[in-house]
Amino acid sequence: MATSPIWASRPKTRGLVLDLIRSARTITRIELAEATGLTGATISEVVRELMGDGLVVEAGRGAPTGGKPRTLVQLNPPARYSVGVQLERNTCVIVVVDLAGRQVARTSFQGVATMPPGQALPLVAARVEALLATAAVDRGKVLGVGLVSYGPQDRRVGVLLTPQPTDEWLDYPVARRLSESLGLPVLLDNDAVAAAIGEYWMGAVDPRSTYGCIYMATGIGGGVVVAGEVYRGSSSNSVEIGHISIDVNGDECPCGNVGCLENYAGPSALVRQALATPGLAQRLALDPAGADFLTEFARVAAAAVAGDPAARGLVEQSARCLGSAAVTMTSLFDVDTIVLAGPSFAAASSIYQAVIQQEVTRRTFARRAHPVRVVPSVNGSDAAAIGGAALVLQSELTLAHSRPEDVARPVPAGAGEAP
């Protein structure tokens, strides 16, 4: 007998149903059928299968609607886990999240930037193993690792296409090496994209909406999500908002462009501006030779929030530049919401949010058609790491039918080296 179209696309159907259960928190089988257009029998079979795998559990009865109350289903958070690793130029953050995207363990450490990748990645792997052990997470329930970092990248091959923090990192197979060390699948992605999808997985945005994310840590990046799907472009290096030109006569950027936003509004730029501001560097004890721009930037941001006029002026100037970039994002993608994510935004969230909202409200092309909200990330400073873990959950559970080539997977014993 020929296989029916529904069962032929079972991974897609399972993923669709599981994602609807996740976004609804609790939902009935009847509501799932109405939302998907699938038959009640098909929904019942898929839900039974998900329950058999431990991914979904029953959650009591819904409100009466004139007949027998219907049974609710919901995710079973401890059924699966994933790991997010944010590899920054100065810091590495590692989180473990459950199936609902809730953080169950976290650690961070510095020094990765000073190490060659062959030394740094085994250290990262050891920290992941230690964190899983400390959190008493069953390793058999860990779906994989989302390794997120700055761009540009080749996600398919799992390499960084940039000589940062040192030349040795250029073209190094970071995803494959980490996968080999851990014996787990590793998905490489952009930190801003990860921060963006983390908002979706945590239920902080309308699942049908189009929204953007501006991510600021050491650098500035961006991501756009359309109805739960990341806008990728031809090579998954899209929405690099930190490298749009805001001064066509500006200095050349290492990326090849001139007058890039990051060189005017990013943390390193702000620290340089603070060092050149009479009296401010001394007042804040800034280190002219310091290489940790995030720590120095945090001092400037804290002073700005506390009311230091010079520091506040610099942060507001950075926010206005970022506001222009946010307006560009709204004009290109017609987004409903812009999420501000990353440790550098968190350091002076109130100032950045207010100024960027003013710019977007005043200047957005479609402002008469709909408002655009500027909001802080629900995941705070760890948005990229949590988002990296969420990308694994999404890839392995709800998008398992697509792009499997993006994931570096451990090689079975005796199978030789990974291609």
Side-chain angles (χ1 to χ4, degrees), residues 81-128:
Y81 297 89
S82 66
V83 178
V85 177
Q86 180 207 4
L87 199 61
E88 248 292 334
R89 291 169 176 85
N90 297 312
T91 305
C92 181
V93 177
I94 304 172
V95 299
V96 179
V97 308
D98 63 19
L99 184 57
R102 298 181 304 202
Q103 182 174 313
V104 299
R106 178 194 187 276
T107 189
S108 66
F109 60 98
Q110 294 185 321
V112 175
T114 63
M115 300 178 187
Q119 180 183 354
L121 292 174
L123 174 60
V124 171
R127 295 296 181 99
V128 169

Side-chain angles (χ1 to χ4, degrees), residues 162-184:
T162 175
Q164 295 186 44
T166 64
D167 289 346
E168 294 168 285
W169 290 82
L170 176 62
D171 288 330
Y172 191 86
V174 290
R176 190 178 75 186
R177 294 302 187 214
L178 187 58
S179 177
E180 291 170 349
S181 294
L182 287 169
L184 289 168

Side-chain angles (χ1 to χ4, degrees), residues 19 39 167 196 273 279 288 304 371 379 407:
D19 200 40
T39 66
D167 289 346
Q273 294 160 12
N379 291 318
V407 183

Side-chain angles (χ1 to χ4, degrees), residues 225-392:
V225 177
V226 183
E229 289 273 9
V230 174
Y231 173 78
R232 290 290 182 184
S234 61
S235 69
S236 292
N237 287 292
S238 60
V239 203
E240 280 291 348
I241 202 163
H243 293 283
I244 63 171
S245 180
I246 63 171
D247 182 0
V248 295
N249 297 311
D251 293 337
E252 185 174 342
C253 178
C255 77
N257 196 9
V258 297
C260 287
L261 169 71
E262 191 171 293
N263 298 328
Y264 292 82
S268 61
L270 214 69
V271 170
R272 288 194 300 270
Q273 294 160 12
L275 288 168
T277 302
L280 185 60
Q282 292 77 15
R283 210 158 53 243
L284 303 184
L286 300 179
D287 181 4
D292 185 357
F293 287 116
L294 284 183
T295 299
E296 301 291 278
F297 171 80
R299 293 180 183 175
V300 180
V305 173
D308 184 293
R312 188 176 183 93
L314 292 178
V315 171
E316 288 181 343
Q317 178 180 314
S318 166
R320 282 192 294 273
C321 291
L322 283 156
S324 292
V327 170
T328 298
M329 179 181 278
T330 66
S331 297
L332 290 174
F333 298 100
D334 195 21
V335 298
D336 302 309
T337 304
I338 293 178
V339 178
L340 306 181
S344 295
F345 276 131
S349 176
S350 59
I351 299 174
Y352 277 108
Q353 183 181 356
V355 174
I356 294 172
Q357 182 70 75
Q358 289 170 4
E359 295 296 306
V360 167
T361 300
R362 181 171 62 89
R363 297 168 52 189
T364 292
F365 180 78
R367 63 187 179 277
R368 293 182 179 86
H370 66 87
V372 177
R373 296 184 309 129
V374 177
V375 299
S377 169
V378 296
N379 291 318
S381 296
D382 292 340
I386 293 172
L391 280 165
V392 172

